[in-house]
Amino acid sequence: MLGVRVRRTNAKVLRKKLACAGMLDKSHAIIDEHEDVMIPVLSKPPPDLLREYVAKVVDCDFPGRKTMRDPIDEIRDIATIPEGLKPLLPDKWEKLGDVAIIKLDPRLDRYESKVAGAYASVLGLKSVLKDVAGISGQFRTPTTKLLLGTDTVTTHVENGVKYRFDAGKIMFSSGNMEERIRMANVVCDGEVVVDMFAGIGYFSLPLAVYQKPRKIVACEINPVAHRYLVENVKLNHVERRVEPFLGDNRDLPGKDFADRVIMGYVKTTHEFLPVAMRLLRDGGIVHYHETCPNELLPVRPIQRIVDHLHGGRAEILMFKVIKSYAPGVSHVVVDARIFRPS
Ligand SMILES: C[S@@+](CC[C@H](N)C(=O)[O-])C[C@H]1O[C@@H](n2cnc3c(N)ncnc32)[C@H](O)[C@@H]1O
């Protein structure tokens, strides 16, 4: 049978890509072989995709998989709400450990605790939150309503990294998973890294768990997120690599010392480019994120970096769309090597 062999760190994203492309063989199970994972496929994936994820086509006997019912069908079956409203039950949710966040059509408002009960029982949740007003403010805080349960502190495991946080107070975007996994694969042996918008460790943790940086200064301004960052550093046993810093990244001391700066923020990221330029050493790399109207891509984010060079030079290493952020707006990342004026 046809399959693809890939390193464990790349397996989740590659499996998702294969599924989106209709190439995943869902009737057979994945084989786990220590460092590598074998994914059953229906046809040979394109060479570009294999190269991107350092994967190889293999011939292998995959075990059959029991056909599982789609959870939304079960949720619709057991929800004790009028039949006519069942098609409104969302077939997507954000499952973060044993807590989930769901978006509900206002027509389900009267039944929200019954709806939450159905999701909790099918998905095995201790608490269910309703997304009330998305994510907002400088701390990127979610606005939610607790529909079921009492405790919204959860441990979400992604790519072998543990993220503990309160899902009612701290955001966690599954849409950024690919970028978190990409960061786990950024080779940075011996480097000094500054994560300017560390949150609970979205990028610092995968980098520290899978690579060997000398030090990651993980800066976070929100005391609640910082507290979870400190906890997550211990939970993932990376205390020797990650130094959490509570405060505004504009107050980080020093200059010309960082081999790499991560700017995982949206909306106003460009306002912080002077800080990144101060921290970076000559030849250091910035991972610059921003949200940008699609018609201005890729020029605007690159131009914003160029505008902060003050006679220096930037080598653009990579540009990537991470996800759609809003209609016509994308969350993107640019990797650039920054050279000081000679
Ligand atoms: C929530 S994260 C962004 C999400 C992340 N990129 C991901 O993968 O999901 C951004 C963090 O930057 C923090 N932040 C905002 N302004 C800051 C500043 N000036 N200095 C340090 N941290 C800041 C926010 O509190 C927030 O926790």
Side-chain angles (χ1 to χ4, degrees):
M1 274 180 307
L2 203 54
V4 170
R5 178 186 282 274
V6 64
R7 301 290 282 180
R8 175 182 302 284
T9 43
N10 288 341
K12 205 164 176 177
V13 185
L14 180 59
R15 190 184 170 280
K16 203 169 139 199
K17 290 248 156 147
L18 292 167
C20 289
M23 278 187 260
L24 184 70
D25 177 356
K26 292 182 181 163
S27 62
H28 288 92
I30 280 173
I31 298 176
D32 206 317
E33 277 194 346
H34 310 292
E35 296 285 287
D36 286 355
V37 168
M38 313 237 261
I39 306 171
V41 289
L42 299 166
S43 57
K44 231 180 190 170
D48 284 6
L49 190 67
L50 294 172
R51 221 171 300 121
E52 190 178 350
Y53 294 97
V54 204
K56 266 198 321 208
V57 172
V58 288
D59 185 16
C60 180
D61 278 334
F62 289 98
R65 225 172 73 139
K66 279 189 234 136
T67 39
M68 283 202 338
R69 263 192 99 199
D70 195 331
I72 187 61
D73 293 333
E74 261 181 75
I75 290 166
R76 289 194 173 129
D77 271 0
I78 67 161
T80 50
I81 64 169
E83 280 303 313
L85 294 179
K86 288 191 175 181
L88 299 177
L89 291 169
D91 58 4
K92 286 200 181 83
W93 46 82
E94 193 82 79
K95 185 171 183 294
L96 306 164
D98 50 7
V99 176
I101 306 174
I102 54 177
K103 256 195 188 132
L104 283 189
D105 186 291
R107 284 169 285 178
L108 292 168
D109 279 356
R110 279 180 58 192
Y111 305 99
E112 52 189 25
S113 66
K114 286 181 172 171
V115 167
Y119 282 83
S121 110
V122 172
L123 302 175
L125 309 168
K126 68 172 178 184
S127 299
V128 178
L129 292 158
K130 176 164 110 167
D131 177 357
V132 176
I135 289 160
S136 58
Q138 185 194 19
F139 293 174
R140 313 297 299 130
T141 315
T143 305
T144 57
K145 176 181 173 188
L146 185 61
L147 301 185
L148 181 140
T150 49
D151 176 16
T152 49
V153 176
T154 184
T155 305
H156 181 63
V157 184
E158 179 190 270
N159 187 30
V161 180
K162 295 182 188 116
Y163 300 89
R164 187 158 175 80
F165 60 102
D166 186 335
K169 294 187 181 141
I170 302 284
M171 64 155 281
F172 192 95
S173 169
S174 58
N176 296 347
M177 179 181 81
E178 226 178 276
E179 185 60 12
R180 284 188 291 272
I181 293 178
R182 186 176 81 93
M183 292 314 288
N185 288 300
V186 166
V187 178
C188 58
D189 292 7
E191 289 187 5
V192 173
V193 180
V194 179
D195 185 352
M196 284 176 59
F197 304 91
I200 58 165
Y202 308 101
F203 298 131
S204 290
L205 293 173
L207 205 58
V209 167
Y210 288 104
Q211 302 297 330
K212 295 187 185 70
R214 180 148 64 89
K215 176 166 84 170
I216 302 174
V217 178
C219 179
E220 173 53 48
I221 199 169
N222 174 2
V224 179
H226 174 267
R227 185 161 56 77
Y228 285 112
L229 169 66
V230 171
E231 198 175 332
N232 288 331
V233 167
K234 289 193 192 122
L235 201 59
N236 289 281
H237 311 292
V238 287
E239 297 96 318
R240 285 172 55 197
R241 297 214 164 114
V242 184
E243 237 175 57
F245 177 95
L246 172 61
D248 192 318
N249 55 41
R250 287 167 286 209
D251 296 331
L252 281 168
K255 61 176 191 156
D256 294 334
F257 67 89
D259 298 293
R260 190 177 295 275
V261 168
I262 306 168
M263 302 183 78
Y265 199 51
V266 292
K267 292 189 169 181
T268 57
T269 329
H270 58 287
E271 293 173 11
F272 296 85
L273 273 166
V275 183
M277 296 298 172
R278 166 169 65 82
L279 300 174
L280 277 172
R281 66 157 173 84
D282 184 36
I285 291 173
V286 63
H287 300 278
Y288 171 72
H289 291 234
E290 74 167 45
T291 35
C292 181
N294 292 339
E295 65 270 20
L296 302 180
L297 291 174
V299 175
R300 192 182 80 176
I302 292 172
Q303 189 57 47
R304 279 182 160 164
I305 295 174
V306 171
D307 288 346
H308 288 84
L309 293 172
H310 305 296
R313 187 166 65 80
E315 180 190 350
I316 305 304
L317 304 172
M318 198 220 54
F319 162 81
K320 191 176 170 199
V321 173
I322 293 177
K323 63 176 188 290
S324 163
Y325 183 78
V329 179
S330 294
H331 174 178
V332 302
V333 57
V334 178
D335 292 356
R337 192 180 287 283
I338 306 298
F339 297 97
R340 300 243 169 274
S342 43

